[in-house]
Amino acid sequence: MIEVMLILFAPLIGGLMYGFERVLRARMQNRKGPPLLQPFYDMYKLLDKQAFIINPYHTVLGIMHFLTLWTVVAFMIFGQNLLYIIFLHLLSVIFIILAGFSVNSVYSHVGANRELLSALAYEPILIIVAVGFFMMHGSFDISVIRQNSASIVPLFLLFLAFLLLIPLKLKKSPFDAAEAHQEIVGGVEIEFSGVYFEFIYIAKWLEYVFVYLLLVLFAGNNAVLGTVLFLGVFLLVNLVDNATARIKMKHVIQIVLGIALTLGLLNLAGLSYV
Amino acid sequence: MYATLILAPLLFALTVLISPLRLRNILSIVFVLFLSAVSIGMNLTLHTPVEASLHQLFHPLFILLDTLVLLYFLWQGVVKNSSLVMLLALLQIVLFGIVLSLSAALDSNDILIESTSTVMYLLINIVGGSIIVFALHYIESEAFGRFKKNAFIAILFFFLSVMNFIVSTNNIEIFFLLFELTTLCSYLLIAYRGEGVSVENSLRALWMNQLGGVAILAALIFSILHYDTVHFDILIANIEEVYLLPIVLLAIAAFVKGASIPFDKWLLGAMVAPTPVSAILHSATMVKIAPYLMLKLAPAMNGFVSLSITLLGTFVFFSAALLALGKDYFKEILGYSTIALLGLMMALAALGTPEAIRACLVLLIFHAISKGLLFLQAGILEKNFHLKYVNDINGLINHSPLVVFFITVGFASLTLPPFGAFIGKFMAIESIAAEIAGSPLYLFALIFLALGSVFLTLLYFKVLTKLFAKDMDAEAGNASPHSPTAYAEISKYYTFPSFLLLFLLVAGIYISFEKELLDSMEIIVPLLLIGLVPLLFATLLFKKAHRVKEYNCGEKEQIKLNMYYFHMPRRIKTYIALTATAALVILMAGVVL
């Protein structure tokens, strides 16, 4: 029952995380920042806007992106197979990419292209992280991983590799070229508006839930460690976001694939020798 | 029953050769239905392996056929002025002579039908049959004489017969004959159009496949000399760890047939033939011999051989996917993805754990169905819309939603849950992950697999984005003469086989549900999600929403956006081919030493 509630409230939790992040970032920059509930006020305001659509394919694919991502989060909360979840997540990414390409807008195309390229960078790493968990726990099932004790020490290098993915997945500096408001005005988001943009907006929150649910897997059944990890990484990611500048997509792929893949490989090779 | 599957298509081939058009079409459909029914019957009734011996009189007949085929190759080498074909044919004749001069004492049955064979029957007859139905109409739109058109269909039926036989035989000598016969079929089909490029590519396909023939003959000689047998089952049962040469040579023959890098050129060259040829080569016949043979050999492999083949297979998977990213020709993209997936299937077969073998079979079946479906669409694009290049498919959804639907399902079924090929890849990752604890070298296999599958997904969806993109030309009213016209009529001969393959895909989902390859939730949920897309298209009319042009930051200029490519320098291709060749050399050297 608690799981169903969690799934239903997952977008709200994601929204709160997003709101908290904005407050935190403002404090880091010595500003007051928006209230915690600002994302929800934004949502409410969007409801009032006139609805514009470019073409039905674009809008439907955007809605599907949101629905699939919610399903992914639901599967995670239910403790399903991690590898399967990674592929289902890929499906949600594919929907948004197809949406980006279905309109004749340069920014949308560039954004969708970059989205594809970042999927190219993080998918293999996610698969390797899943294999790392499999080697530790003998199963891909999240429910098993959650029951066993924390695996962050033996999987430390994989954990570092995963840290590199978080800014990429959440589109934070220095890996935020896929969204890059100053140059491509949000990429795939640009052509969504009004009530249909809400789906994309909530999907962004769900992305937070997805990433941090993956993160706490490293803590296993240790709730305290899980909380510490979550808060620590949340702080770190925002600190890095504030302190760094955006880099080119080409370099994002080189850095993420180069470093994270090496770290992951070393970790798995080490595990197989133990 | 197996005799029906082998002999009936031969008879059918003769019948269609001399029938007039209408009769030929009706008969072919009946024949295909008959073969499908028999193969389903075989699959349902076979519980224990069937063994049988062929009559003594057959052996001289097979030897005669062998000699004729080899002499034909030699003659083609002379006529077409290809010294390579000539030399290889001569080499094969000499080796074949040596094989005939030796005699093996340990005897076994010529026919051995296991569950793998019956799965192959299903593939060959149902998927291959659908492609024949497709070919009936396709070939009519080509400018050839009546006899040549009928011969095309006849060769396809003959191909089915050979394939049905090759998966039933236990005798390596007969296997060699059938291997050469498939080479012959593909040679004739690729050269079918008879122009310069076709002849050139068919000769390349011929000599590359002859290499496979040479490898089988060498394997036969070593097998007779050392193990005193020409039968697969005895060879595999008596295998000694220190003498795996025959097994490795047969595996190399499989690599050749499976168009694995560095032997990939022949399959890509086969694109010049009429599209049903590509469809049948890629999905139901020819290349599928490779994983089948590898599955047969898997129990005899030791750690070194199995590891090397797994690494090489996954490397091929990765590199073929990488190379495909720089391509624009629709059939070439499909071709590279076939090479990639075959590499993966062979890797899994060589891995040999029960789960890996299951994954291999799942991939084998679903790859055949999906690739068949996609190649049929390639044929429709070519015939109805005169489209060959992906970049020109702009906005096909406005002209033929049906073809877009088939292409989308075809690509989706190769990558996404809950389709079979996805399940195969998923199980592949699981089974390789399970091996890493034993040997860290499998890590490389895992990396290749992870990167390769992401590349393939990228590739497929790169193509798909083009289908949904807006059709700028049509909107501006300056459609070129080759642009598709609105809602083109597509012949029933084209759509019927496509629907049949689609039905097989759906049936496959049901079977994976029954066999519990995935959790029921894991199958139903994505099915609902994917089903929701057309439903939303149909129901959400967005009546209240205002239709607007793209915001595009207020830019008014009309733009035409083309597809993006990944630049693949030539040297990358060379490096990949060199690496694969080096791997084969290391494999051979390791076994000989």
Side-chain angles (χ1 to χ4, degrees):
Chain A
M1 204 52 219
I2 185 155
E3 280 143 348
V4 177
M5 294 302 278
L6 268 178
I7 291 167
L8 285 178
F9 288 118
L12 294 184
I13 299 168
L16 281 175
M17 276 159 87
Y18 185 56
F20 180 60
E21 182 187 282
R22 287 172 74 171
V23 176
L24 184 71
R25 246 186 2 219
R27 293 292 191 280
M28 282 177 177
Q29 293 162 353
N30 225 347
R31 295 189 279 123
K32 188 165 182 296
L36 181 66
L37 294 180
Q38 185 62 40
F40 300 98
Y41 301 149
D42 290 348
M43 291 289 295
Y44 182 70
K45 204 174 88 184
L46 280 172
L47 274 178
D48 257 4
K49 298 271 178 198
Q50 206 178 5
F52 289 123
I53 68 164
I54 314 281
N55 64 47
Y57 312 124
H58 181 240
T59 317
V60 166
L61 288 168
I63 296 173
M64 285 312 297
H65 167 64
F66 157 71
L67 285 179
T68 316
L69 204 53
W70 204 353
T71 319
V72 170
V73 171
F75 270 72
M76 289 201 79
I77 293 173
F78 274 130
Q80 295 280 327
N81 189 313
L82 179 56
L83 195 55
Y84 179 84
I85 287 168
I86 289 170
F87 282 108
L88 198 63
H89 176 259
L90 185 61
L91 175 65
S92 80
V93 176
I94 281 166
F95 278 128
I96 191 76
I97 291 169
L98 285 178
F101 277 112
S102 69
V103 289
N104 202 42
S105 156
V106 189
Y107 303 105
S108 184
H109 271 240
V110 174
N113 198 358
R114 292 186 181 175
E115 199 81 50
L116 250 180
L117 289 171
S118 57
L120 178 70
Y122 63 69
E123 274 300 314
I125 319 278
L126 284 180
I127 294 176
I128 287 172
V129 169
V131 171
F133 281 120
F134 172 78
M135 288 177 71
M136 278 309 293
H137 305 290
S139 168
F140 281 108
D141 284 346
I142 289 183
S143 51
V144 176
I145 298 172
R146 282 209 198 106
Q147 275 159 16
N148 289 344
S149 56
S151 47
I152 183 162
V153 177
L155 296 180
F156 191 68
L157 294 181
L158 269 179
F159 172 71
L160 291 182
F162 184 71
L163 280 189
L164 266 181
L165 295 193
I166 296 179
L168 181 61
K169 201 73 255 305
L170 299 181
K171 308 206 179 80
K172 303 262 167 232
S173 247
F175 300 149
D176 59 345
E179 198 175 79
H181 270 279
Q182 294 84 342
E183 31 168 327
I184 56 168
V185 243
V188 281
E189 293 171 13
I190 179 174
E191 302 298 342
F192 287 96
S193 59
V195 62
Y196 304 113
F197 177 68
E198 299 214 27
F199 291 105
I200 306 296
Y201 201 39
I202 309 178
K204 253 172 107 165
W205 303 349
L206 284 171
E207 205 73 79
Y208 278 75
V209 180
F210 170 71
V211 167
Y212 286 106
L213 273 177
L214 273 179
L215 178 80
V216 294
L217 286 185
F218 284 97
N221 59 2
N222 193 334
V224 180
L225 180 63
T227 321
V228 172
L229 263 187
F230 166 63
L231 290 175
V233 170
F234 195 78
L235 253 174
L236 179 71
V237 167
N238 284 301
L239 196 65
V240 172
D241 182 38
N242 261 332
T244 55
R246 177 180 310 137
I247 59 172
K248 283 184 188 166
M249 203 62 217
K250 189 175 148 194
H251 298 142
V252 172
I253 295 177
Q254 280 167 2
I255 291 174
V256 172
L257 263 189
I259 298 180
L261 212 55
T262 319
L263 287 173
L265 272 182
L266 283 176
N267 202 154
L268 292 189
L271 280 184
S272 70
Y273 273 115
V274 175
Chain B
M1 284 268 259
Y2 68 90
T4 325
L5 283 178
I6 297 164
L7 294 175
L10 284 180
L11 189 71
F12 298 163
L14 284 177
T15 323
V16 296
L17 198 57
I18 49 169
S19 310
L21 177 62
R22 268 195 91 78
L23 184 67
R24 185 201 74 185
N25 286 357
I26 295 168
L27 279 180
S28 301
I29 293 173
V30 173
F31 293 160
V32 166
L33 290 177
F34 172 75
L35 287 175
S36 309
V38 174
S39 62
I40 293 172
M42 283 289 282
N43 190 270
L44 292 179
T45 53
L46 188 107
H47 299 298
T48 49
V50 172
E51 294 182 27
S53 250
L54 292 177
H55 195 271
Q56 272 305 308
L57 277 177
F58 278 110
H59 289 273
L61 179 70
F62 290 149
I63 292 172
L64 178 71
L65 272 176
D66 256 326
T67 325
L68 285 178
V69 172
L70 290 178
L71 285 176
Y72 177 75
F73 289 164
L74 182 64
W75 180 57
Q76 286 297 311
V78 176
V79 173
K80 302 274 165 71
N81 207 3
S82 165
S83 44
L84 208 51
V85 170
M86 223 154 54
L87 275 177
L88 283 167
L90 279 175
L91 181 62
Q92 276 181 300
I93 291 173
V94 173
L95 289 174
F96 188 59
I98 299 176
V99 170
L100 289 183
S101 69
L102 300 169
S103 63
L106 296 175
D107 208 17
S108 177
N109 294 310
D110 291 329
I111 301 286
L112 175 63
I113 298 162
E114 294 160 302
S115 54
T116 331
S117 320
T118 58
V119 171
M120 292 296 287
Y121 287 149
L122 290 179
L123 273 191
I124 295 164
N125 296 297
I126 303 181
V127 180
S130 325
I131 294 166
I132 293 184
V133 174
F134 179 85
L136 290 175
H137 187 66
Y138 184 98
I139 203 65
E140 287 311 313
S141 57
E142 302 267 330
F144 296 116
R146 171 99 323 249
F147 181 77
K148 198 168 178 188
K149 285 177 185 169
N150 281 353
F152 184 75
I153 307 294
I155 297 174
L156 292 180
F157 270 115
F158 177 64
F159 213 151
L160 294 194
S161 159
V162 174
M163 283 301 296
N164 280 331
F165 200 175
I166 206 167
V167 297
S168 325
T169 182
N170 182 35
N171 185 328
I172 307 178
E173 271 179 13
I174 301 177
F175 185 84
F176 168 70
L177 167 68
L178 298 164
F179 189 92
E180 293 296 297
L181 284 177
T182 57
T183 306
L184 175 70
C185 284
S186 64
Y187 171 70
L188 292 175
L189 288 172
I190 296 170
Y192 185 77
R193 287 204 208 272
E195 332 129 350
V197 199
S198 303
V199 172
E200 194 185 312
N201 288 350
S202 67
L203 285 172
R204 192 193 295 137
L206 183 55
W207 73 256
M208 280 199 173
N209 279 295
Q210 278 178 304
L211 284 179
V214 171
I216 296 183
L217 284 173
L220 259 176
I221 295 174
F222 290 119
S223 164
I224 297 174
L225 289 180
H226 196 264
Y227 294 106
D228 213 4
T229 184
V230 293
H231 294 277
F232 277 114
D233 57 348
I234 299 182
L235 176 66
I236 287 161
N238 295 344
I239 202 78
E240 294 159 22
E241 282 271 300
V242 289
Y243 198 81
L244 287 174
L245 200 52
I247 301 292
V248 168
L249 284 168
L250 286 170
I252 286 177
F255 273 117
V256 173
K257 265 290 158 202
S260 222
I261 297 170
F263 309 110
D264 54 331
K265 287 226 174 54
W266 76 259
L267 188 62
L268 296 172
M271 302 288 154
V272 296
T275 306
V277 176
S278 306
I280 210 158
L281 289 182
H282 282 257
S283 62
T285 61
M286 198 73 168
V287 297
K288 287 292 178 317
I289 298 174
Y292 171 78
L293 182 57
M294 218 51 115
L295 278 173
K296 230 175 159 64
L297 300 175
M301 289 177 189
N302 66 4
F304 168 73
V305 175
S306 144
L307 175 68
S308 323
I309 294 180
T310 306
L311 283 180
L312 180 56
T314 45
F315 174 72
V316 168
F317 177 67
F318 160 78
S319 2
L322 183 69
L323 289 176
L325 286 176
K327 299 294 171 196
D328 186 23
Y329 189 25
F330 190 58
K331 285 208 270 181
E332 202 169 9
I333 288 178
L334 296 181
Y336 269 114
S337 104
T338 302
I339 294 170
L341 284 163
L342 282 169
L344 180 58
M345 286 178 223
M346 286 190 270
L348 288 170
L351 198 61
T353 57
E355 177 157 46
I357 285 178
R358 219 151 65 120
C360 175
L361 279 174
V362 170
L363 270 179
L364 191 71
I365 298 168
F366 289 100
H367 171 256
I369 303 172
S370 305
K371 253 321 139 47
L373 184 63
L374 284 169
F375 266 108
L376 295 192
Q377 307 319 306
I380 296 175
L381 285 181
E382 205 177 295
K383 285 288 166 195
N384 280 38
F385 301 105
H386 308 283
L387 290 172
K388 282 185 174 174
Y389 292 93
V390 175
N391 202 22
D392 303 332
I393 321 183
N394 247 345
L396 188 69
I397 188 148
N398 302 314
H399 307 295
S400 178
L402 189 65
V403 176
V404 170
F405 172 70
F406 284 139
I407 297 179
T408 314
V409 169
F411 280 132
S413 64
L414 285 170
T415 38
L416 296 178
F419 293 104
F422 163 78
I423 299 177
K425 259 187 237 175
F426 183 74
M427 286 159 65
I429 295 180
E430 285 188 328
S431 48
I432 289 181
E435 293 300 310
I436 293 176
S439 162
L441 279 173
Y442 280 108
L443 264 180
F444 291 101
L446 180 76
I447 294 287
F448 288 144
L449 184 54
L451 284 173
S453 62
V454 175
F455 287 165
L456 278 183
T457 313
L458 197 68
L459 172 72
Y460 297 148
F461 287 93
K462 181 180 109 151
V463 177
L464 276 190
T465 55
K466 218 51 202 165
L467 302 174
F468 289 97
K470 215 165 170 188
D471 193 352
M472 287 309 294
D473 286 338
E475 214 162 84
N478 53 4
S480 68
H482 285 314
S483 285
T485 45
Y487 287 101
E489 266 307 304
I490 296 166
S491 161
K492 288 208 174 51
Y493 282 109
Y494 290 168
T495 47
F496 171 69
S498 307
F499 273 114
L500 188 68
L501 292 176
L502 184 72
F503 168 75
L504 287 181
L505 272 180
V506 177
I509 296 176
Y510 178 72
I511 290 171
S512 49
F513 192 80
E514 285 277 287
K515 300 238 170 193
E516 290 174 9
L517 295 177
L518 284 180
D519 273 11
S520 49
M521 276 275 281
E522 292 178 338
I523 293 176
I524 294 168
V525 170
L527 204 60
L528 286 177
L529 280 174
I530 292 172
L532 207 56
V533 184
L535 197 72
L536 285 181
F537 278 148
T539 52
L540 283 184
L541 298 169
F542 303 107
K543 275 198 182 132
K544 284 188 184 155
H546 293 261
R547 305 298 169 105
V548 288
K549 289 250 171 204
E550 287 82 354
Y551 158 62
N552 212 8
C553 287
E555 282 177 36
K556 284 272 166 19
E557 202 93 340
Q558 274 289 8
I559 20 170
K560 187 175 180 205
L561 292 163
N562 276 324
M563 198 138 90
Y564 56 91
Y565 294 96
F566 296 87
H567 176 60
M568 294 291 152
R570 268 198 98 72
R571 60 190 160 84
I572 290 192
K573 213 174 164 181
T574 325
Y575 289 152
I576 288 174
L578 282 179
T579 317
T581 320
L584 280 179
V585 172
I586 292 171
L587 175 61
M588 280 296 286
V591 170
V592 173
L593 300 175

